[in-house]
Amino acid sequence: MSRKRHRPRAPAPAAGAAAPPAAAPATTTAVATAPEQPVFWFGFSVPYAKVVVTRVLLFSVLALDALLQIRHAPRYGAGGFNVAQLPGLDHLGPSRVGFGASELALAACFAFATLGVATRAALAIAAALYAWLYFGSQVDSYQHHYLVVLVLAIASFVPWQRPANATAATPIRSWALRLILVQLALLYLWAAISKLDGAWLDGRTLALQLGSASGTPVERLPAISRIVEHTVGWATAAKLVLVSEVALAATIWHRRSWWLAAPLGVAFHIGIAMTSLEIGLFAYIMIAAYALVIPDRVYLAAAPLVSRVGAPAGAAIARAVSRVPRGWPTAGVALVAALALGFACRLEDAGAIALVVAVVALAIGSRRARRGASPVPPALALLAATTLWFAVDHLSTVTVDYYRLWGGSSRRLGDRDDAVRAYTRLVDLEPDSAESHLHLGRALLDRDDGDDATAGVAELRLARAADPHDARPYVEEARWLARHGHRADALATARVGVAVDPHSKEAHAAIEALVSAGGDPAGPAGGDD
């Protein structure tokens, strides 16, 4: 409804005064007033404190998730095969190298957005990269990938950066923030509609997803699966999931329904995080998005408390920052440190991506300097990104998993040279790992070259030394000896494998195969030797 505009009345003419001349008839068409913008969209505003918390939580989790996905890169483009989500993209999908490099770039974009540096440009680039990765291939095909693309595209229109003289209570008006909430509601609604099927409603699908129907031992089931089995059961749990999604679709976008949407949504996604579903950190991404659902008054009430509690630390940081020059020397030091971390990172192509992002940071810093602002923030954002790369590289198994899966994929596809390259890098990363030496030794023996065979046997013996109770190095050597006609040596080696691990099915099978192929003059398989 349009609002009435009140106009001040003209004063009445004084008594005896001549009446004013009559207004001339209008000869031109009245200028039409612009229609009012819909309040639901364009009147939506939140305190700046909520914008900051949402920005930091959401994009920092997305940065970490991007890096954790690098371990899956070897699955992309394997053997030149790809089936895209959209027609025409089959030959444009990411390869192993492209996927890994893009995830590093995504983490850098999210680091820039987290710190409020060039947020709109960073998120627009992130949306394009994310869409290419997950629309260009069906290797990972989940609803949440489409949601993230849409949220990133919408988020590139949100005014995330701090306005001049803004306080925690300064209202930030943004139709894009409202649209993110509506988009989340649509996700929940479609998720509920897709579950209106007998296989879901009777609990079979949910039980299968969470491992209960696949014969997994009870002690190895996710905690949430054990809870469901010992309480409400799968059919009831499946219906509760559907009801929860309908409730969230109806409430997450409505301010006054926060008391239902916030606790229900956070609990719902904590439950998903407790499962074994291969969806990365998506549950935590959704939990971070609920920072938009928490009432504004919570942020306004917390701001003075945070200010009082953090005042001493904040003052100390402010004093330290004030002593640091905010010009190019400081930016240069930050860029050099960022590049050093990037090149020290063991993730493939990390140094090259760090160099590319450093050029972008320099361009952003130069533009800021021309406007009289400090060039330091872009350099610090890159430093934060490469610090996260380095931390994930050294504090998680992502890098090791990457090279192990790369080697395994290449070996299955018959690319022996590529497998040796991957496993050689794996041994460089883990020189004391029996598993790494075993993989490299097996890959070298696959090439069946004289020098490679010698090196392969040496790797298998290093694997034995690293884990004396593993029969697999003995089995691999026995198989290689058998292929080259050394049956007696192969049988003796396989028997040693049984001796070090009597429960090894592979070692017993190797002995049985050797015996059945040509008889065993030394006695039955698995004897006392």
Side-chain angles (χ1 to χ4, degrees), residues 297-385:
R297 58 180 176 273
V298 173
Y299 291 93
L300 298 180
L305 177 63
V306 171
S307 178
R308 286 196 299 272
V309 172
I317 293 173
R319 286 195 298 271
V321 170
S322 65
R323 297 191 186 101
V324 176
R326 297 179 60 80
W328 279 112
T330 302
V333 171
L335 286 173
V336 170
L339 286 172
L341 283 174
F343 280 97
C345 189
R346 301 172 302 172
L347 292 165
E348 194 176 24
D349 298 319
I353 299 301
L355 190 58
V356 171
V357 181
V359 173
V360 174
L362 275 172
I364 297 172
S366 298
R367 183 181 178 188
R368 289 173 59 90
R370 287 195 297 270
R371 295 183 304 180
S374 170
V376 174
L380 291 180
L382 176 60
L383 180 58

Side-chain angles (χ1 to χ4, degrees), residues 426-443:
L426 183 64
V427 168
D428 291 340
L429 295 176
E430 293 188 317
D432 299 325
S433 167
E435 194 81 15
S436 300
H437 287 292
L438 171 64
H439 287 314
L440 179 56
R442 186 164 48 193

Side-chain angles (χ1 to χ4, degrees), residues 476-498:
E476 293 298 332
E477 185 174 351
R479 289 171 177 167
W480 179 79
L481 288 168
R483 287 200 303 269
H484 289 79
H486 306 293
R487 193 182 63 81
D489 292 338
L491 193 57
T493 303
R495 282 201 169 112
V496 177
V498 170

Side-chain angles (χ1 to χ4, degrees), residues 119-130:
T119 50
R120 291 188 173 183
L123 292 175
I125 294 171
L129 279 175
Y130 210 98

